[in-house]
């Protein structure tokens, strides 16, 4: 007897050891044996696209912890109350099911969740006695090798929901548009019941009566276990709304395709897109193309970026991904296209940074040859002298090429190279034509560059996923130049047709258009509120169309989208661009863009970077005494009855010629009289501070804080004195009033003062630092 007991104990120990070995023996997780779809979501978790798994099923692997606890509890209540107590087979349940089957009641089965998992996992035919035994054996085998947690998780991911939909993760997204952890109790109960009879309870066309009745019966059982759920009885009576699997979303296909290629095999990819904004851009593009098909506009691309976080909010790669007639599967946001004039803002920003211009500097718009290159304006005309602001807003080509020719390091080519735009050919391939869109660029790079302006000269990377790092950015432009360019672009008026229709919010938009050579690409790009929006109109095959002009083809759609976004987001923040601290406002003569002299009749205010922006005293306007008898300049001493004073404009001969060509000839000054003395004579200003031969000593910690006073004596006819240090403009002061200058470092400087008559004085200044 004792030997029998020892034999039994040995067998039990051997069996226990076998069980331990089986459990600990390395085996592939169940997740690796079950193919999964990939769900691409927007920033709020809304489904953009659900791919098929490798076995052509919609099955989205969902961890047990990400499933609604109500659904898990309802599944165990309905299918296997003893799940955590049996070894994979429940003999009592099998016997009860066999007896019921024998009396003709087949409504209750005896399969445990482990047995059901075995049937689904190994695709068993369990209608025969042999098949049932096979199922039992597989269930025991699974129980020996996997934990209850893993078995329940795998079962939830293999539950059939009709057609090619499997698992609660895919079913909850397809039928309810929700993550499985956010399901309501009625939805959870429905997803427990559909797998019992996917054909009869198929909710593709609404909730079948059989499903609703079964749901109410399960809720009655639920109340017995969870009486606190009685307050949901009324909600349970309502019919559930199911989405049709045929309406499975396929949003932002170009972007989702890119993300799927970058992250193959991922269960879930969360993007930075906003589904509402994505659909808004798609709707506005479709409406616009429907209206403009008469002029051959059939395809558009667009991209919306939040420049604060650099998160991409909407991507429209083409008008219709499925339309082969427009090559709809080509992603226009990643295609290389000619930008036309869309890059001119960066040319002007470089010129501002290099001290070539300020916004009201006067440039020349006239026929000009730059070696073998003789550019023309889009309209074939020339306007003569024009301010930098107007030249940018009106997209004049000659002033832009003139600036490009004057740029040093970096020039526009260097700037694009540093920003990562490419691929770029050799510099010589483009020459000065690069300023007019002679290269190629993607829309992704265009929005990144415009975001640089909003981010005050810092170039940052685009972010398509929340986990993409927001970098600190690389400085390619100064904050001052970026601010001034945006301020200039805000003066660009909206297209005429929208103004005439009274459309628009009156809120600022800093925007620019572009038209490529041969009318192949029409662009409109701009910044409003927290967004950068780019719109492209054209054909992917590169065919041209005279209608592809940025102002007429792309700008109207751009503003339709801007207005629609602002209407959809009435609380859209409009962050005012903070003014960089090293930026001031200066009064200049409107005609010349220089500091006004005493005779300038009209002035304007412009932005100015101290120590960088070009500034000098205007010499255009001069007051002359005219002899009434001869019409020539009078000579002193003047006799009141024979002379009169007038202000005349003194333009260089080349600008005189430009005014005449533009149909705005200027009145010429009278010829000089037979004078023996200088009619403009007078006493020049005399600097009184800083003192001669004196070293100004400042403490190291007071550099940039303590000031050196600047003052000068001036003639009686002087109203304003203009001060410079090393040719950099410091400021202006009334005659007799002092001005302060704060040195930033030690060294030798040249201080100069110019009065409003053009007379000047200069003096050396030495600043030393004491510790």
């Amino acid at each position: 007897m004792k030997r029998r007991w020892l034999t039994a104990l040995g067998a039990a120990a051997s069996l226990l050891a076998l069980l331990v070995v089986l459990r600990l023996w390395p085996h592939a997780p169940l997740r690796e044996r079950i193919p999964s779809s990939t769900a691409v979501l927007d920033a709020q978790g809304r489904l953009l696209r659900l791919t098929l798994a490798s076995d052509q099923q919609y099955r989205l692997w969902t961890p047990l912890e990400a499933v609604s606890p109500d659904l898990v509890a309802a599944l165990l209540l309905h299918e296997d109350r003893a799940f955590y107590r049996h070894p994979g087979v429940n003999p009592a349940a099998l016997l009860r099911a066999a007896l019921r089957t024998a009396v003709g009641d087949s409504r209750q089965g005896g399969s445990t969740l482990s047995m059901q998992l075995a049937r689904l996992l190994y695709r068993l035919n369990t209608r025969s006695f042999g098949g049932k035994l096979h199922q039992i054996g597989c269930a025991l085998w699974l129980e020996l090798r996997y934990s209850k947690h893993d078995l329940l998780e795998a079962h939830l991911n293999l539950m059939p929901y009709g057609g090619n939909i499997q698992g609660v993760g895919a079913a909850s997204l397809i039928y309810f548009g929700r993550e499985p952890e956010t399901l309501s109790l009625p939805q959870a109960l429905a997803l427990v019941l559909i797998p019992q009879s996917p054909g009869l309870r198929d909710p593709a066309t609404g909730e079948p009566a059989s499903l609703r009745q079964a749901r109410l019966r399960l809720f009655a059982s639920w109340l017995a276990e969870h009486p606190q759920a009685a307050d949901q009885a009324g909600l349970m009576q309502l019919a559930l709304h199911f989405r049709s699997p045929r309406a499975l979303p396929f949003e932002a296909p170009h972007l989702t395709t890119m993300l799927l290629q970058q992250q193959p095999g991922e269960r879930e990819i969360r993007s930075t897109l906003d589904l509402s904004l994505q659909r808004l851009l798609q709707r506005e593009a479709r409406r616009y193309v429907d209206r403009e098909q008469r002029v051959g506009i059939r395809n558009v691309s667009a991209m919306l970026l939040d420049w604060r976080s650099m998160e991409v909010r909407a991507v429209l790669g083409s008008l219709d991904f499925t339309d082969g007639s427009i090559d709809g599967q080509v992603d226009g946001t990643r295609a290389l296209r000619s930008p036309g004039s869309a890059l001119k803002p960066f040319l002007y920003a470089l010129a501002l940074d290099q001290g070539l211009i300020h916004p009201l500097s006067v440039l020349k718009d006239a026929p000009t040859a730059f070696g073998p290159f003789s550019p023309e304006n889009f309209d074939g005309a020339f306007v003569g002298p024009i301010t930098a602001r107007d030249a940018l807003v009106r997209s004049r080509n000659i002033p832009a090429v003139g600036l490009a020719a004057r740029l040093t390091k970096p020039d526009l080519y260097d700037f694009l190279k540093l920003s990562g735009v490419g691929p770029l050919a050799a510099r010589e391939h483009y020459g000065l034509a690069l300023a007019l869109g002679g290269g190629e660029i993607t829309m992704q790079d265009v929005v990144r560059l415009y975001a640089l302006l909003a981010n005050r000269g810092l170039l940052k990377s685009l972010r398509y996923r929340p986990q993409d790092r927001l970098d600190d950015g690389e400085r390619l432009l100064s904050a001052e130049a970026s601010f001034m360019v945006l301020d200039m672009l805000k003066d660009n008026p909206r297209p005429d047709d929208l103004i005439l229709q009274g459309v628009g919010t009156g809120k600022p938009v800093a925007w620019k258009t572009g038209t490529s050579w041969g009318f192949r690409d029409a662009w409109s790009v701009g910044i409003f509120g927290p967004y950068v929006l780019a719109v492209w109109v054209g054909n992917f095959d590169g065919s041209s169309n005279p209608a592809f002009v940025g102002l007429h083809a792309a700008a109207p759609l751009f503003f339709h989208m801007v207005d629609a976004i602002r209407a959809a987001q009435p609380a859209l923040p409009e962050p005012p661009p903070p003014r960089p601290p090293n930026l001031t406002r200066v009064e200049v003569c409107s005609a010349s863009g220089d500091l006004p002299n005493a005779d300038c009749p009209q002035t304007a205010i412009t932005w100015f970077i101290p120590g960088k922006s070009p500034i000098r005293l205007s010499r255009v306007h001069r007051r002359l005494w005219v002899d009434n008898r001869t019409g020539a300049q009078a000579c002193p001493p003047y006799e009141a009855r024979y002379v009169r004073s007038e202000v005349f404009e003194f333009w260089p001969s080349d600008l005189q010629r430009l005014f005449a060509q533009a149909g705005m000839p200027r009145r010429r000054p009278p010829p000089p009289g037979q004078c023996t003395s200088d009619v403009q004579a007078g006493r020049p200003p005399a600097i009184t501070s800083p003192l001669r031969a004196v070293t100004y000593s400042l403490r190291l910690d007071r550099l940039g804080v303590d000031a050196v006073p600047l003052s000068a004596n001036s003639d009686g006819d002087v109203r304003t004195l203009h001060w410079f240090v090393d040719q950099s403009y410091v400021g202006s002061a009334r005659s007799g009033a002092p001005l302060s200058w704060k040195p930033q470092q030690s060294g030798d400087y040249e201080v100069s003062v110019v009065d409003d008559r053009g007379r000047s004085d200069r003096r050396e200044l030495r600043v030393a630092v004491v510790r």
Side-chain angles (χ1 to χ4, degrees), residues 108-257:
Q108 179 168 349
S111 297
T112 63
L113 289 182
S114 302
M115 293 173 63
Q116 294 178 38
L117 173 61
R119 175 174 58 82
L120 295 169
L121 186 62
Y122 299 115
R123 300 180 181 179
L124 303 177
N125 181 1
T126 60
R127 295 183 179 275
S128 64
F129 181 73
K132 183 61 71 174
L133 287 179
H134 190 188
Q135 181 185 22
I136 291 173
C138 289
L140 293 172
W141 174 256
L142 288 172
E143 288 273 357
L144 288 173
R145 293 178 66 84
Y146 297 99
S147 67
K148 289 287 187 179
H149 173 280
D150 292 348
L151 295 175
L152 181 57
E153 184 178 71
H155 178 81
L156 287 165
N157 282 280
L158 284 174
M159 292 168 67
Y161 285 94
N164 61 342
I165 303 174
Q166 287 190 359
V168 296
S172 61
L173 279 176
I174 293 172
Y175 288 134
F176 301 118
R178 304 178 70 169
E179 293 279 355
E181 60 186 342
T182 65
L183 292 168
S184 66
L185 180 59
Q187 293 169 338
L189 298 186
L191 292 187
V192 167
L193 294 166
I194 294 174
Q196 276 194 325
S197 183
L200 292 176
R201 296 175 180 174
D202 184 2
T205 58
E207 185 178 24
S210 60
L211 176 58
R212 183 170 180 271
Q213 293 166 4
R215 182 164 56 83
L216 293 175
R217 290 194 299 270
L218 180 55
F219 180 63
S221 301
W222 179 269
L223 280 179
E225 300 287 335
H226 306 86
Q228 70 274 14
D231 59 348
Q232 298 198 48
L235 182 63
M236 199 65 60
Q237 295 294 329
L238 301 176
L240 282 176
H241 172 69
F242 288 84
R243 298 181 178 183
S244 171
R246 290 187 294 273
L248 198 62
F250 190 63
E251 307 284 354
H254 297 89
L255 176 65
T256 56
T257 298

Side-chain angles (χ1 to χ4, degrees), residues 516-537:
S516 68
W517 295 94
F519 303 103
R520 291 177 172 83
D521 309 273
W523 291 82
S524 187
V525 192
I527 300 170
F528 66 101
Y531 295 130
V532 176
L533 174 64
V535 171
W536 171 88
V537 175

